[in-house]
Amino acid sequence: MVNREEFNPAKFEKKWQKRWEEEDIYKTPSKIDPKEKFYCLDMFPYPSGAGLHVGHVEGYTATDIYSRYMRMQGFQVLHPMGWDAFGLPAENYAIKTGIHPKEITDKAIKTFTHQIKSLGLSYDWQQEISTHQPDYYRWTQWFFLLLYKMGLVYKKKAPVNWCPSCQTVLANEQVVDGKCERCGTEVVQKEMDQWFFKITAYADELLEDLKKIDWPESTKEGQKNWIGRSEGVVIKFQIPNSKEQTNNKSQTTNHKLYIEVFTTRPDTLFGATYLVLAPEHPLVNKITTPKYQETVKKYQEETRKKTALQRSALEKEKTGVFTGAYALHPVNGRKLPVWIADYVLMTYGTGAIMAVPAHDERDFQFARKYGLEIQPVIKPEKGEWDFEERAFTEEGVNINSGFLDGLKTRAAKERIISWLEKRGFGKKDVRYKLRDWLISRQRYWGAPIPVIYCTKCGTKEKPAIIPVPEKDLPVELPDDVDFKPTGESPLKYSKKFHDVVCPVCGAKGKGVVWRESDTMDTFVDSSWYFFRFTDPKNEKEFASKEAIKTWMPVDLYVGGAEHTVLHLLYSRFFTKVLRDAGYIDFSEPFLKLRHQGLILAEDGRKMSKRWGNVINPDDEVKKFGADTVRLYEMFMGPIKDAKPWSTAGEKGVYRFLKKVWRLQYKVREEKSNEREERQINKLIAYVGENIERLNMNVIIARFMEFVNSYTPKKRVPLEVWKRFLLVMAPFAPHITEELWARIGMPFSIHQQAWPEYNPELITNKKIKIAVAFNGKTRGTLEVNLGLTKEEVIDKVKTNPKLSKYYLENKIKKTIFVKDKIINFVGV
RNA sequence: GCCGCGGUGGCGGAAUUGGCAGACGCGCAGGACUUAAAAUCCUGUCCCGCUAAAACGGGGUGCGGGUUCGACUCCCGCCCGCGGCACCA
């Protein structure tokens, strides 16, 4: 052979990337049959200043391989990329440096784009979107208006999570361990006027539909827990001799006052020895007796001051005070003392509980501390229980429970529920942990909430809330702002921004008409972006009905597991809203979801600037080329697992590509023999099957075996070589394109059909079957496929190695699994 | 505490879902080429015993039991690691 070249990816990777772009070979097909479509989506990244990291590369490579494979299979593929561009980091950086967030973000996007292109990923850049562009966020604002129209938006004064450092409120989902997800500052509770999306209206469906989708179990579980559905009963406890003071002082009504509690264990009702209200509960002030006014007030004060963290379970001691009031047990009429305690949360259930210290650990602790009665009413079905020691929280059999005595938990529940319902003391109910989604943020770098306040349409004290008319969208972010956080949105001080006319009455002027200055949580932006990708340039709609019908839902969605509850839940919510609004006729956006695991540093720790152990994909591409980086990240292990980087392992993959490169010089135009045909046919079948399962690591192992089988001396038949290049093309697009061109095949390998395989050729003609005696494998036999038991026994008898184990008269039983194993069982 | 996932050589990981455990890669050891190194190639590499080397025998998938002709795989009870939720009544 003449002029053997060394493998040097730098020599051809850029060249092909350029050609692919010029010839636009990954262009999204426009007119297609929805049955043959495939929408393959990555979670679009936040374009951070740090640039792309190896974790991104892992997910993107996997979807790239999948997309390329589906294209070769004849599917019409949508595989887009875009930017989740709004968010705090850019704004925080702006505060520090004075550089406008837009400038920072656009620069980061440029870097990301360049990096992604250098990896040879097959995105169609015509479909690119970015959430910070007015032509994107006008539709984010449109969604706000849509939800508003549907009655799914409201504004309310509410205790919110406030981050003193970021100077903004946070969604519950953004509070981690009582701290701000972003900066780690302890979050405090604050009463503020805020905007909410009514996601709780969909709680049941969000839970129910999890059954329909192919998602990792852990992620579904995460959503289930977050939604936190529990079935129980609301029970009324009457406050005797209570008189409710109404606002109207002259009138004193004398109707009965009740405390409503929610419980999932109504069967323990006879064990309720006291009631507890959340300190913020509206009834507290009404029922507290004069004698206890002061201590109750003081306790309420203290609670208000506590941070979320202090109030959480991490706080060891339970605290509370007595209100002086009593409530009547609905069945036996006993007077139960009513306490307040901050272990009861206003935000769950009814904000009040019946305490059953014998059967609830929290109540038990509290009762112990304050000397309240502990009355066991359930005993275990088997064995004893020391009720002095701790609460018995499992199901069992009722005792000390009047007409429930002797009943098992489930029966007791039914019995007491019908008893209570009949008498109007109780009602079955379902409660959720899920709360409405707080979407307003007092920050600049987000989509402005499209609302105008008008004092003429309303009053000075209560200005009317007027949604911005659709035709006036987008409400653009003004530039005349100061980024310093003040606790209010920087937009508040923009003159340009508030220069607005009331769309209803035409009034204007400072203090008369002004815009809402809060922006939306960036999770709003990302809750619908996958719709926009189907029709990114549409100026009339967020996406046309046809485009959505063509591409949605997403067939494969890949991204990090950290979005288990936030982004994934919100996106599902938006999809259901769109369905109810009549825009779409499906209710789940992502049919199949897979997560990529964390890529750890070489030292097994998380990659971090702090440790100086960060692997930058750019450097790796420079050293080894894009194909090596792609292939190595796929070879490391299962996509979903966390796994450490290994530069040595990466070199191994590079070595493999070198071998592939050298193999070109062994290619001959000769006919392949049967063995070679079987090998390549098997490979084709194996690769396709495992791409679909995202088992990229084992595929690469097979590629290696294939190459090794040819390396020392053997020549490669041209027809085998072609098919090998084709099946490897999705994994290593550059080298395969180069080698494809070198055998004179037309551009581009990535526009070829996936090679077919002959099902008859994907098994070996000869097969090894294991021969075992008493379950112990003693050897193998190479036999033709499909041999019968008798034939195999004959072979064993005559086999020099195996015959010595075969003592005919001792064999009791012979187990034979065709083409797999034969097992002789003796004494 | 609850829920989910996992535990296989020195390391990353394979095992057609109950049928030869350790594919492939890394690392390591020995050898070839070289003045030398790098690169490349070849051979070996789960542990123990017997071996000059094999052949051969025994053990082995976190631990202890069980089901089965046969268990990394299924069942029961533990231990450990990772992730999520966490006073949610």
Side-chain angles (χ1 to χ4, degrees):
Chain A
M1 254 284 127
V2 276
N3 290 339
R4 293 199 169 193
E5 278 174 56
E6 280 293 306
F7 173 55
N8 182 2
K11 266 192 169 161
F12 56 81
E13 288 193 345
K14 283 263 146 17
K15 173 183 84 182
W16 291 118
Q17 283 167 10
K18 209 174 139 219
R19 179 99 185 261
W20 295 333
E21 194 159 351
E22 280 166 6
E23 306 216 7
D24 208 4
I25 68 167
Y26 306 125
K27 193 171 153 61
T28 309
S30 48
K31 270 241 157 157
I32 67 149
D33 176 355
K35 267 171 268 159
E36 288 170 12
K37 68 95 181 180
F38 196 83
Y39 186 175
C40 186
L41 184 65
D42 295 289
M43 287 184 187
F44 69 162
Y46 174 76
S48 79
L52 202 70
H53 59 75
V54 288
H56 289 123
V57 177
E58 184 184 22
Y60 300 168
T61 304
T63 53
D64 188 59
I65 291 167
Y66 213 118
S67 300
R68 288 171 181 277
Y69 168 71
M70 292 309 272
R71 283 190 205 105
M72 290 173 86
Q73 283 283 7
F75 282 80
Q76 316 283 332
V77 173
L78 173 59
H79 186 42
M81 179 46 76
W83 317 105
D84 189 12
F86 277 138
L88 276 179
E91 187 168 350
N92 287 341
Y93 190 76
I95 291 162
K96 242 195 280 177
T97 62
I99 306 171
H100 196 284
K102 180 165 179 352
E103 204 177 307
I104 299 161
T105 304
D106 286 342
K107 201 176 144 202
I109 289 176
K110 254 196 174 145
T111 310
F112 266 68
T113 307
H114 175 79
Q115 288 180 303
I116 287 174
K117 285 185 177 172
S118 80
L119 284 157
L121 297 167
S122 63
Y123 296 114
D124 177 5
W125 291 97
Q126 296 303 307
Q127 307 291 121
E128 180 180 358
I129 57 175
S130 187
T131 58
H132 77 303
Q133 301 291 358
D135 64 2
Y136 182 90
Y137 68 71
R138 73 175 285 180
W139 297 110
T140 305
Q141 292 169 337
W142 178 88
F143 270 91
F144 178 95
L145 297 177
L146 175 71
L147 268 75
Y148 191 88
K149 262 187 277 179
M150 295 173 71
L152 293 168
V153 179
Y154 63 93
K155 196 181 185 190
K156 146 183 129 175
K157 205 167 207 107
V160 296
N161 308 301
W162 175 259
C163 173
S165 163
C166 296
Q167 293 272 312
T168 187
V169 304
L170 302 170
N172 291 323
E173 290 86 340
Q174 289 164 324
V175 181
V176 178
D177 281 342
K179 289 176 185 157
C180 172
E181 171 196 55
R182 278 246 109 79
C183 67
T185 307
E186 208 158 279
V187 171
V188 297
Q189 301 295 305
K190 223 174 157 176
E191 282 270 317
M192 285 180 86
D193 230 0
Q194 297 293 327
W195 290 95
F196 291 86
F197 282 171
K198 221 184 230 167
I199 190 172
T200 51
Y202 288 84
D204 246 330
E205 205 195 337
L206 287 167
L207 183 70
E208 211 40 43
D209 285 355
L210 286 171
K211 290 180 192 143
K212 295 190 202 159
I213 48 184
D214 175 13
W215 285 22
E217 208 41 52
S218 55
T219 304
K220 287 194 193 181
E221 250 346 275
Q223 297 220 344
K224 243 186 238 171
N225 293 340
W226 193 265
I227 295 165
R229 180 191 154 99
S230 35
E231 289 181 21
V233 192
V234 171
I235 303 177
K236 287 161 120 181
F237 289 77
Q238 198 199 327
I239 309 279
N241 312 321
S242 57
K243 287 182 187 168
E244 187 176 3
Q245 300 278 320
T246 60
N247 281 344
N248 191 340
K249 278 178 198 158
S250 59
Q251 249 185 357
T252 309
T253 46
N254 215 349
H255 69 257
K256 288 170 184 172
L257 203 56
Y258 291 98
I259 293 176
E260 294 195 333
V261 307
F262 176 69
T263 177
T264 54
R265 290 295 300 271
D267 57 304
T268 63
L269 180 57
F270 285 88
T273 53
Y274 62 101
L275 301 187
V276 189
L277 302 181
E280 311 91 321
H281 198 288
L283 275 181
V284 175
N285 296 332
K286 291 177 186 161
I287 62 168
T288 303
T289 58
K291 192 177 157 198
Y292 292 92
Q293 291 284 358
E294 207 167 307
T295 48
V296 164
K297 265 232 154 58
K298 211 174 129 210
Y299 187 78
Q300 286 178 315
E301 258 333 290
E302 280 166 18
T303 308
R304 200 166 310 136
K305 275 190 229 144
K306 280 190 188 173
T307 63
L309 188 65
Q310 282 166 342
R311 231 188 124 158
S312 85
L314 305 171
E315 195 80 346
K316 55 251 150 247
E317 277 274 302
K318 301 219 173 333
T319 58
V321 295
F322 182 44
T323 62
Y326 290 86
L328 298 179
H329 191 287
V331 185
N332 58 25
R334 283 184 54 187
K335 283 172 78 181
L336 308 179
V338 180
W339 286 62
I340 62 170
D342 65 2
Y343 81 91
V344 173
L345 309 173
M346 194 55 225
T347 46
Y348 185 77
T350 58
I353 61 157
M354 64 176 203
V356 186
H359 304 291
D360 182 286
E361 267 162 51
R362 295 151 300 179
D363 298 342
F364 183 85
Q365 281 178 38
F366 193 78
R368 264 293 164 81
K369 182 168 173 188
Y370 293 104
L372 294 153
E373 190 191 345
I374 300 171
Q375 169 70 268
V377 292
I378 312 279
K379 62 167 193 166
E381 272 184 64
K382 276 178 248 161
E384 294 295 306
W385 190 266
D386 184 2
F387 289 97
E388 294 295 306
E389 228 4 80
R390 46 189 290 238
F392 176 69
T393 57
E394 269 140 75
E395 307 201 334
V397 181
N398 272 72
I399 51 169
N400 305 327
S401 302
F403 58 89
L404 297 181
D405 279 353
L407 292 177
K408 287 188 192 172
T409 297
R410 189 189 281 188
K413 273 188 189 174
E414 269 173 41
R415 188 77 180 275
I416 188 71
I417 289 170
S418 67
W419 192 96
L420 289 168
E421 282 186 331
K422 219 177 270 167
R423 287 160 183 79
F425 284 124
K427 222 178 140 210
K428 267 197 190 169
D429 205 352
V430 177
R431 298 283 163 151
Y432 302 88
K433 280 201 260 182
L434 184 71
R435 322 236 183 101
D436 281 336
W437 174 15
L438 194 166
I439 57 126
S440 41
R441 297 289 180 275
Q442 293 68 49
R443 300 299 296 232
Y444 169 76
W445 196 228
I449 291 174
V451 159
I452 292 164
Y453 297 97
C454 178
T455 53
K456 285 267 148 48
C457 294
T459 61
K460 259 223 143 42
E461 292 71 39
K462 212 171 174 244
I465 293 174
I466 296 158
V468 173
E470 247 177 66
K471 64 173 173 46
D472 294 344
L473 296 182
V475 176
E476 284 203 50
L477 277 172
D479 282 328
D480 57 334
V481 288
D482 182 2
F483 299 113
K484 275 235 158 54
T486 58
E488 290 176 305
S489 168
L491 292 179
K492 200 150 199 167
Y493 302 100
S494 158
K495 260 181 91 182
K496 221 157 77 187
F497 189 71
H498 291 291
D499 186 16
V500 60
V501 177
C502 172
V504 175
C505 70
K508 60 177 177 178
K510 206 178 164 193
V512 181
V513 178
W514 65 93
R515 286 188 190 281
E516 167 63 59
S517 56
D518 284 359
T519 53
M520 282 185 256
D521 181 4
T522 56
F523 278 107
V524 180
D525 309 330
S526 56
S527 293
W528 69 279
Y529 79 104
F530 40 92
F531 284 106
R532 188 63 177 173
F533 268 141
T534 67
D535 195 9
K537 300 205 170 68
N538 196 324
E539 289 178 8
K540 299 207 166 65
E541 303 155 278
F542 69 98
S544 75
K545 276 203 162 133
E546 303 79 68
I548 294 171
K549 205 178 170 93
T550 301
W551 292 112
M552 285 297 291
V554 174
D555 295 283
L556 174 66
Y557 195 28
V558 174
E562 66 272 17
H563 296 110
T564 304
V565 281
L566 301 146
H567 162 60
L568 290 169
L569 193 67
Y570 297 151
S571 298
R572 296 180 61 219
F573 164 55
F574 263 49
T575 302
K576 291 171 195 307
V577 169
L578 276 180
R579 181 207 52 204
D580 288 348
Y583 287 90
I584 57 175
D585 57 9
F586 54 92
S587 41
E588 284 293 333
F590 315 125
L591 297 179
K592 176 170 168 177
L593 170 74
R594 295 294 116 102
H595 298 302
Q596 86 256 16
L598 207 59
I599 294 187
L600 304 166
E602 200 133 19
D603 55 17
R605 292 188 291 195
K606 256 192 182 178
M607 283 191 195
S608 153
K609 264 193 206 153
R610 184 152 58 114
W611 306 120
N613 56 9
V614 178
I615 301 281
N616 181 338
D618 272 0
D619 301 339
E620 304 311 301
V621 170
K622 258 178 223 137
K623 275 190 275 182
F624 300 106
D627 285 339
T628 298
V629 177
R630 294 169 57 113
L631 222 51
Y632 171 61
E633 290 212 22
M634 292 299 96
F635 187 57
M636 290 173 81
I639 309 275
K640 66 171 196 301
D641 290 0
K643 41 209 175 290
W645 189 270
S646 155
T647 303
E650 188 185 15
K651 279 187 187 149
V653 169
Y654 183 72
R655 259 198 292 267
F656 160 68
L657 282 178
K658 265 193 198 169
K659 286 189 199 171
V660 172
W661 180 261
R662 283 197 299 264
L663 213 54
Q664 67 175 304
Y665 301 112
K666 296 188 174 185
V667 175
R668 296 289 184 278
E669 240 178 287
E670 57 190 33
K671 232 179 125 26
S672 46
N673 62 32
E674 194 188 322
R675 199 196 54 80
E676 289 161 341
E677 275 305 309
R678 283 190 191 278
Q679 186 189 20
I680 189 72
N681 273 273
K682 264 202 283 193
L683 186 68
I684 294 165
Y686 191 83
V687 173
E689 217 173 278
N690 284 288
I691 286 176
E692 285 170 30
R693 294 183 195 151
L694 254 52
N695 290 339
M696 309 306 186
N697 54 331
V698 294
I699 296 175
I700 293 160
R702 288 300 172 96
F703 288 155
M704 288 171 170
E705 278 178 286
F706 177 88
V707 169
N708 289 342
S709 78
Y710 280 98
T711 13
K713 303 187 190 64
K714 276 195 314 192
R715 300 196 294 197
V716 186
L718 182 61
E719 290 308 311
V720 171
W721 180 240
K722 279 187 198 165
R723 281 174 284 172
F724 173 68
L725 292 178
L726 285 169
V727 295
M728 213 174 97
F731 295 80
H734 307 86
I735 189 175
T736 48
E737 184 80 280
E738 176 71 18
L739 295 173
W740 184 253
R742 280 170 179 239
I743 51 170
M745 298 302 287
F747 181 84
S748 157
I749 192 170
H750 303 300
Q751 294 175 304
Q752 306 300 315
W754 188 254
E756 304 216 349
Y757 65 86
N758 179 350
E760 280 165 32
L761 288 177
I762 61 167
T763 47
N764 284 332
K765 212 152 114 200
K766 292 233 168 197
I767 198 158
K768 273 185 179 178
I769 73 169
V771 181
F773 295 87
N774 283 327
K776 188 149 229 43
T777 308
R778 295 295 178 176
T780 58
L781 277 177
E782 190 154 312
V783 299
N784 288 332
L785 213 57
L787 230 55
T788 64
K789 185 172 171 179
E790 286 68 32
E791 286 170 312
V792 173
I793 293 174
D794 269 355
K795 292 248 181 205
V796 172
K797 281 192 204 163
T798 55
N799 184 287
K801 274 189 188 168
L802 297 168
S803 56
K804 64 177 174 188
Y805 299 103
Y806 188 80
L807 305 165
E808 193 153 12
N809 50 350
K810 294 227 170 140
I811 288 163
K812 286 242 172 81
K813 197 170 157 192
T814 307
I815 283 104
F816 176 70
V817 183
K818 202 167 142 200
D819 298 334
K820 287 242 164 98
I821 193 167
I822 187 154
N823 186 12
F824 300 101
V825 185
V827 260

